[in-house]
Amino acid sequence: MSDLPRKAVARTAKLAALPLGFAGRTALGLGKRIGGRPAEMIAAELQQRTAEQLFATLGQLKGGAMKLGQALSVFESALPEQVAGPYRAALTKLQEAAPPMPVKSVHAALTERLGKDWRDLFEEFDDKPAAAASIGQVHRAVWHDGREVAVKVQYPGAGEALLSDLTQLGRFARLLGPLVPGMDIKPLITELRDRVSEELDYGLEARAQAAHAREFTGDADVVVPDVVHHTDQVLVTEWLEGVPLSEVIADGTREQRDRAGQLLARFLFSGAARTGLLHADPHPGNFRLLTGGAPDGPAEKWRLGVLDFGTVDRLPQGLPPEIGTVLRLTLEGDAEAVHELLRDEGFVKPGIDLDPGAVLDYLLPIIEPAQVEEFTFTRDWMRAQATRIADPRSPAYQLARQLNLPPAYLLIHRVTTSTIGVLCQLGATVRLRDEMEAWVPGFAAGSRSQETPA
């Protein structure tokens, strides 16, 4: 892989080949079934091959294709375990790296965006990228004042590639559905497309990151690297050394997993309350665990390093208090009040007649982690929730089809569910309710009245 494939026709050809591959494997599966192999075994094999082809293609193309892959990656917990292993390995690669730009392309981009004397800004600059992701890659360097920095360089043509990819992916979103049970892929692609302009503007990202860095300066739990310099397509920030969250997911001890999970939940809720911004790209590649130079030391001293503020939700007052209120009323079992508030907020559209008790039955399993003092997030729990909502025979499936997700809540919903997906990958035991009581408006009052044993 050399440069970012920018011509729409070339990118479209690669993406258009995906549905053909899916269809070919389906036909092959039918032939094997006629030949006598069990349907479950064939389905698992087809799903595994489909996942491998999909994420290999998305990783090669970077752009919107890889952005979708990263967004989907946090939901691998919902996959059947027999295919999750190979799928998990492909997704870990997608979270952390993609094929890099050639050195000459990097130098040309820096000359165009920082000026012909760009090397004078640095004491050192490593031409080999430290990370390569969906629309840009990161190089390690030393700023002219001696600070170690990360230099994020946007791929030439990234905007065109993003729009081309997401348009093409939207055309066959239906075919991707079986890969992530219980998730509607098309709204996710639409939302990613709607945010392309923000993602491409490193000036917006710099302001969002700087706001977080100021707020979390000296924080005992969360670290955000400071912004050093930026243009609209180059972002220079302080270097953050730490253990990638993906490594903790793969090999962490119980204590390390629990600490990472608690910090992730804390940042999810406290970040919006403290900055008025919601970090909206919570895949594992965007987090590091800072061990204080002692990776084998006590995990309770670890801090969470947060990267990549290219996508944020602007919430000047923090999370809407209606969210906390609905969750609290659900835990209290007040079906009528929950139904009324959901209708007021547009989750139940006019003319849709729902049984309040059925709505409560739908919500309670989802918010089970908030009912107890601490909750262990597992892949089994995630799969059970996905199956319950994805099975057309399930009452939850029928009810979910009648609910509406208002645009103002779309990104909040995706960030929350994505974070829960990562917690399930970690298998972390987390005191989620403590974080919600501390940071979610409307949740604290009376939330302990329905105590459930852990």
Side-chain angles (χ1 to χ4, degrees), residues 210-397:
H212 280 83
R214 284 193 302 271
E215 176 59 37
F216 285 97
T217 297
D219 192 85
D221 300 311
V222 175
V223 178
V224 178
D226 235 336
V227 175
V228 175
H229 182 76
H230 75 273
T231 69
D232 58 349
Q233 294 184 338
V234 175
L235 176 61
V236 183
T237 66
E238 292 180 338
W239 182 263
L240 192 66
E241 193 68 57
V243 178
L245 182 59
S246 58
E247 291 186 13
V248 180
I249 289 172
D251 300 311
T253 66
R254 165 54 47 207
E255 292 76 13
Q256 292 166 354
R257 293 169 181 274
D258 291 349
R259 176 62 173 167
Q262 193 71 43
L263 291 174
L264 199 61
R266 185 163 301 159
F267 179 70
L268 166 67
F269 295 119
S270 69
R274 293 172 61 174
T275 68
L277 299 167
L278 180 68
H279 182 283
D281 198 5
H283 73 78
N286 286 338
F287 299 100
R288 300 288 183 270
L289 279 306
L290 281 65
T291 65
D296 297 325
E300 64 264 22
K301 299 294 186 182
W302 284 14
R303 293 191 292 169
L304 182 72
V306 185
L307 307 172
D308 198 339
F309 292 81
T311 305
V312 297
D313 202 1
R314 289 163 178 81
L315 304 170
Q317 308 304 316
L319 291 171
E322 291 79 9
I323 292 177
T325 303
V326 163
L327 294 174
R328 173 172 55 81
L329 292 172
T330 300
L331 292 179
E332 292 173 354
D334 194 338
E336 294 291 341
V338 169
H339 181 263
E340 182 179 353
L341 188 51
L342 289 177
R343 188 174 290 281
D344 290 344
E345 289 300 301
F347 288 90
V348 181
K349 287 186 173 181
I352 299 295
D353 186 24
L354 296 179
D355 173 24
V359 174
L360 201 67
D361 290 342
Y362 171 81
L363 291 175
L364 275 171
I366 300 173
I367 65 169
E368 182 184 0
Q371 297 180 50
V372 294
E373 290 291 344
E374 61 180 26
F375 182 82
T376 300
F377 290 86
T378 66
R379 288 184 164 92
D380 284 345
W381 179 79
M382 184 80 165
R383 279 192 288 272
Q385 295 303 318
T387 300
R388 185 175 72 96
I389 295 170
D391 186 349
R393 299 165 297 181
S394 164
Y397 173 87

